[in-house]
């Protein structure tokens, strides 16, 4: 009889479900699963931390629409991955986590790394289960993949007892489970679509908000047609950038606060009224704003603010419904309205303010100078990964995206440490596609510290990621080297050092060099441009630019704080 092991069944089932990438750290009891995955044709990337591995696998789900797999060992290995699972669930990204666990005959006996894994994962996932026997593995894997991509996407967990990995079963006893089809597409109610168009037509200051749900839903083509035919201004959320190009004439991202504050009707496409959009409430929003909410999750409708119109279904399909109504009526929001004038005036003023900061020649450089020169050199088709406090916020306004699903950042959960895992995933996809796109990871020095050892992973797999560490010596802000040295002579630094400070002028570039990549210490504009140009031309190995900036550099004055504490 043809026998198959549990490890082989897992790998073959994942491959059948079109899972093409696996990230993880091997050990007892799952090392054979990784080996079987490679044998089945799944690309395996061995990481240095399970959390980063889960971040990478979830980014695969967002970029490709099919979940990546994260393979972890029992107990602590799974616990490390829970952060990635929670982040994926909050971001609504599909990922499959496969965790080894204790042998079944040792449960409750204090087995090696014994932990209630299935129960623990229920808090962080849509689905959590252990196959009852080897024959059940294909069905459980199929359900995990299907659950991860159907409805609101998210994380799913499959637990594999250690004694099942190398156990064998006759293949004839295993039921063949075919690949689950793509998620079914649903349309909004026709009367609701008609009402939405009526509300838009009556608006004096309308605004379209494009969320990462529109990016995940691959709505870019029909959405561009709708925006250009309707003439409406649009504002992308951080990972909604690139669904339509940031340089599109209807993009009002440079007047974000004004657009949100004065819009009387907002068409919300695949975005949630959570903290990123200030809950849709004053003082950041017009207290009388009408929301047309488009989402595939019924439970999201009316969260924090009751919508004037709720359109439930697939975003791309619903935008097509809206487009057909606009085409039929021939309606277009005029380009000469007072609202367009207000937005354009504010965009010009903000651009001038940013430009004045960017062109400062004093050293150390500030954020705006760094991003100004980076933006001039980055290819339009590059994938931008960004995390950090000011690094991410200022980078969002100055580093443009032109293609959908080409910006990855801290996301809905505000998770720091995601950057290098996301970059590895994006680079693995780009290397497979061989399209010549670069992956550029722009990090604060604090954010880099969460997963900095993943540079070894990049070097090991020859992933030509470019990491730019914008180094201000701290969390939010730091201290210059001379002041730090003086303070160190005054006593115990655990009592004296500001809690947000990191080691001044830390040589993160030498971390990359130690593993065989290119490291650059950057202090001036000339050094920045030279190092970035050289890194962009090097397809053989990753690079890290350690860009030292003024520790006191900050964002330009904001009308509102970034984290609005509205009264819910």
């Amino acid at each position: 009889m043809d026998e198959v092991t549990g490890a082989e069944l897992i790998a073959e089932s994942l491959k059948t479900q079109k899972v093409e990438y696996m990230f993880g750290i091997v050990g007892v009891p799952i090392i054979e699963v990784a080996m079987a995955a490679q044998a089945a044709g799944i690309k395996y990337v061995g990481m240095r931390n399970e959390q980063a591995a889960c971040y990478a696998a979830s980014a695969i789900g967002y970029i490709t629409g099919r979940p990546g797999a994260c393979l972890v060992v029992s107990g602590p290995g799974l616990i490390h991955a829970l952060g990635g699972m929670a982040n994926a669930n909050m971001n609504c990204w599909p990922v499959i986590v496969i965790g080894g666990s204790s042998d079944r005959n040792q449960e409750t006996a204090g087995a090696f790394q014994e932990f209630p894994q299935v129960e623990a994962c229920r808090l962080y996932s849509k689905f959590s289960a252990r196959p009852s026997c080897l024959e059940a593995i294909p069905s459980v894997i199929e359900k995990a993949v299907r659950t991860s991509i159907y409805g609101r996407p998210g994380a799913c967990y499959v637990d594999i007892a250690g004694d099942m990995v190398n156990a064998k079963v006759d293949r004839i006893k295993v039921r063949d489970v075919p690949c689950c089809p793509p998620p079914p597409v649903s349309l909004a109610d026709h009367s609701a679509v008609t009402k939405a168009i009526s509300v838009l037509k009556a608006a004096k200051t309308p605004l379209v908000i494009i969320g990462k749900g529109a990016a995940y839903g691959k709505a870019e083509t029909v959405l561009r047609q709708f925006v250009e035919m309707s003439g409406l201004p649009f504002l992308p959320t951080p990972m909604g950038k690139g669904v339509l190009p940031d340089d599109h004439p209807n993009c009002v991202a440079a007047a974000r606060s004004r657009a949100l504050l004065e819009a009387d009707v907002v068409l919300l496409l695949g975005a949630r009224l959570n903290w990123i959009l200030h809950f849709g409430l004053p003082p950041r929003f017009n207290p009388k704003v009408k929301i047309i909410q488009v989402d595939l999750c019924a439970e999201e409708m009316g969260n924090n603010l009751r919508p004037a119109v709720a359109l439930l279904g697939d975003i791309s399909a619903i935008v097509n419904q809206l487009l057909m109504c606009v085409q039929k009526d021939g309606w277009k929001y005029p380009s000469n309205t007072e609202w367009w004038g207000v937005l354009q005036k504010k965009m010009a003023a903000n651009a001038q303010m940013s430009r004045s900061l960017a062109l400062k020649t004093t050293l150390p450089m500030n954020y705006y100078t760094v991003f100004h020169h980076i933006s001039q050199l980055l290819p339009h088709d590059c994938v931008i990964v960004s995390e950090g406090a000011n690094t991410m916020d200022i980078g969002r306004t100055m580093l443009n995206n032109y293609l959908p699903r080409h910006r990855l950042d801290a996301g809905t959960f505000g998770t720091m440490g995601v950057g290098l895992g996301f970059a590895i995933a994006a680079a693995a996809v780009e290397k497979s596609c061989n399209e010549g796109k670069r992956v550029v990871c722009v990090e604060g020095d604090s954010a880099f510290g969460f997963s900095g050892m993943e540079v070894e992973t990049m070097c090991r797999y020859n992933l030509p990621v470019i990491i730019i560490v914008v180094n201000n010596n701290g969390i939010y802000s730091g201290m210059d080297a001379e002041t730090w040295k003086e303070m160190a002579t005054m006593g115990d630094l655990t009592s004296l050092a500001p809690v947000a400070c990191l080691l001044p002028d830390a040589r993160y570039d030498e971390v990359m060099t130690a593993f065989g990549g290119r490291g650059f210490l950057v202090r001036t504009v000339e050094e920045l441009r030279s190092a970035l140009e050289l890194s962009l031309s090097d397809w053989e190995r990753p690079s890290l630019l350690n860009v030292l900036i003024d520790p006191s550099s900050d964002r330009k004055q904001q009308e509102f704080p970034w984290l609005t504490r509205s009264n819910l």
Side-chain angles (χ1 to χ4, degrees), residues 283-296:
R284 298 302 297 268
F285 276 73
N286 180 341
K288 296 182 179 180
V289 66
K290 294 180 179 179
I291 302 292
I292 302 169
Q293 191 169 5
V294 181
D295 205 286
L296 52 70

Side-chain angles (χ1 to χ4, degrees), residues 429-493:
V429 171
E430 294 305 329
K431 195 168 186 179
S432 294
C433 296
N434 199 27
E435 294 180 352
K437 295 179 182 178
R438 302 311 307 267
V439 177
V440 181
C441 187
V442 186
E443 302 260 308
D445 50 329
S446 171
F448 176 77
F450 284 91
S451 54
M453 278 298 291
E454 297 300 340
V455 299
E456 187 273 333
T457 306
M458 296 175 182
C459 291
R460 184 168 13 114
Y461 289 99
N462 295 319
L463 299 174
V465 176
I466 300 169
I467 302 172
I468 302 174
V469 178
V470 185
N471 187 354
N472 71 344
N473 302 339
I475 304 168
Y476 304 117
S477 61
M479 184 178 291
D480 65 75
E482 289 303 315
T483 305
W484 181 269
K485 288 178 183 177
E486 291 177 13
M487 185 176 62
T489 66
M490 298 167 61
D492 184 356
L493 286 173

Side-chain angles (χ1 to χ4, degrees), residues 39-355:
I42 295 173
K43 298 176 178 64
Y44 176 79
V45 178
M47 305 285 283
R48 300 304 299 265
N49 182 278
E50 291 91 352
Q51 201 168 31
C54 200
Y55 293 146
S58 66
I60 289 290
Y62 176 64
I63 294 168
T64 69
R66 208 73 186 180
C70 174
L71 182 67
V72 299
V73 299
S74 52
L78 175 68
I79 291 170
H80 291 165
L82 291 179
M85 292 176 67
N87 188 70
N89 246 19
M90 290 291 184
N91 270 347
C92 306
W93 289 1
V95 64
I96 306 299
V97 177
I98 299 172
S101 61
S102 309
D103 289 2
R104 287 170 291 181
N105 64 354
Q106 295 178 351
E107 285 183 355
T108 74
F112 175 66
Q113 296 184 335
E114 184 176 2
F115 186 71
Q117 298 180 182
V118 175
E119 294 88 339
C121 287
R122 288 199 176 106
L123 285 173
Y124 307 96
S125 63
K126 296 180 66 181
F127 171 82
S128 180
R130 172 195 281 187
S132 58
C133 58
L134 294 182
E135 293 90 333
I137 286 175
S139 295
V140 173
I141 294 289
E142 187 275 342
K143 185 167 185 179
V145 171
R146 176 163 42 85
T147 304
S148 77
I149 60 176
Y150 277 35
R152 173 174 280 179
C156 291
Y157 176 67
V158 178
D159 192 76
I160 303 295
D163 58 304
M164 294 176 69
V165 172
N166 290 313
K168 296 181 179 181
V169 64
D170 291 338
R171 190 180 289 275
I172 197 170
K173 294 181 180 180
V174 181
R175 182 168 66 91
D176 182 48
V177 180
C179 180
C180 68
V185 174
S186 56
L187 297 172
D189 180 75
H190 178 71
S191 62
V193 174
T194 302
K195 183 179 179 182
I197 292 295
S198 297
V199 173
L200 279 173
K201 287 181 178 179
K204 293 184 178 179
T205 56
L207 179 67
V208 177
I209 296 180
I210 301 174
K212 69 173 176 289
Y216 180 82
K218 295 180 170 58
E220 54 268 16
T221 301
V222 68
L223 187 49
R224 183 165 194 155
Q225 290 177 289
F226 173 73
V227 164
E228 292 178 353
M229 185 157 288
S230 66
L232 294 169
F234 74 87
L235 172 70
T237 63
M239 273 189 278
K241 285 165 60 69
V243 175
L244 298 187
D246 282 340
D247 62 352
H248 192 284
N250 290 47
C251 180
V252 295
R256 182 182 189 272
S257 291
R258 183 61 54 87
L260 295 179
L261 181 62
E262 297 188 16
D264 62 357
V265 172
V266 169
L267 175 59
L268 191 67
L269 299 173
R272 288 169 279 178
L273 292 177
N274 54 21
W275 68 274
I276 292 177
L277 286 175
H278 321 290
F279 315 107
L281 299 175
R284 298 302 297 268
F285 276 73
N286 180 341
K288 296 182 179 180
V289 66
K290 294 180 179 179
I291 302 292
I292 302 169
Q293 191 169 5
V294 181
D295 205 286
L296 52 70
C297 178
E299 289 80 2
E300 189 61 35
M301 298 301 184
N303 194 26
N304 294 327
L305 194 67
R306 181 176 178 176
V309 186
L311 302 177
L312 178 65
D314 178 81
I315 290 176
S316 183
I318 291 174
V319 173
N320 192 57
Q321 288 180 282
L322 295 169
L323 174 62
M324 288 191 292
C325 288
V326 170
Q327 287 175 327
K328 182 179 179 181
D329 293 352
W331 173 78
K332 186 169 187 175
Y333 183 72
S335 60
N336 59 350
T337 61
E338 182 181 352
W339 177 229
W340 264 118
V342 167
L343 293 172
Q344 288 166 348
K345 182 178 179 181
K346 186 63 175 177
M347 285 192 288
N350 285 343
Q352 179 58 38
M353 188 181 303
S354 294
R355 182 172 176 80

